Amino acid sequence: MNYIGIKINKPITDCDYYATVADWCNKKKAKIEDKGKYYEVVAIEPHTPTLKEQLEAKEYEYQMNRWQREGILAANSEYSSYVKAKAQELEDLAEQIRHQEM
C-alpha cells in the first residue's frame, strides 16, 4: 500500500493505524506532516548536497584542509601523485565555490 497523500484526522483515535503509517514512512522515505487540522503523509525529497557540503565531506574523508592542499599542490612538492590528485579534486571544488560567491 502507498500512504503518500493519506490524511489522518486530528485527534488521533486509531494509534495502531498511525503506528502502521509511521512505520511505512520510515521504510519508504516519507514523513507525516502536521497540516493544522489533520496530518498528511508526504514524500521526503532527497537532499542534493551543495558544493560546500561536498567539499566539507571530502575534506573530512581525506583529512585535508585548505592550507594542507596548498602545501601539497605547491611547486616541487614531494607528495605522491595520488595525494596531489586528491588535493586537486578538493581545490577544484573550492574554486567552484569561490566563483559562486563572487
Side-chain angles (χ1 to χ4, degrees):
M1 172 161 206
N2 183 354
Y3 289 102
I4 300 294
I6 295 291
K7 294 178 180 154
I8 302 170
N9 293 324
K10 289 183 177 181
I12 296 172
T13 55
D14 187 347
C15 292
D16 290 335
Y17 178 70
Y18 186 88
T20 299
V21 173
D23 186 49
W24 181 89
C25 287
N26 290 335
K27 294 175 183 172
K28 300 293 183 177
K29 296 184 181 177
K31 63 183 177 179
I32 299 171
E33 281 190 356
D34 188 342
K35 299 291 187 175
K37 295 182 179 181
Y38 60 89
Y39 297 103
E40 184 175 355
V41 178
V42 296
I44 297 174
E45 296 299 322
H47 172 69
T48 303
T50 64
L51 287 175
K52 186 173 183 178
E53 290 169 335
Q54 291 175 41
L55 176 62
E56 289 170 351
K58 287 191 180 287
E59 284 178 334
Y60 179 79
E61 178 184 350
Y62 300 161
Q63 294 295 296
M64 187 185 304
N65 59 30
R66 185 174 182 174
W67 68 265
Q68 291 166 317
R69 289 194 307 268
E70 289 177 357
I72 292 166
L73 296 172
N76 302 320
S77 151
E78 295 185 14
Y79 286 91
S80 71
S81 59
Y82 175 81
V83 172
K84 288 179 181 181
K86 294 299 181 185
Q88 189 61 57
E89 178 185 350
L90 294 177
E91 193 54 33
D92 291 344
L93 270 173
E95 187 64 25
Q96 289 178 43
I97 293 166
R98 287 191 286 271
H99 282 294
Q100 279 183 346
E101 293 173 349
M102 291 181 162

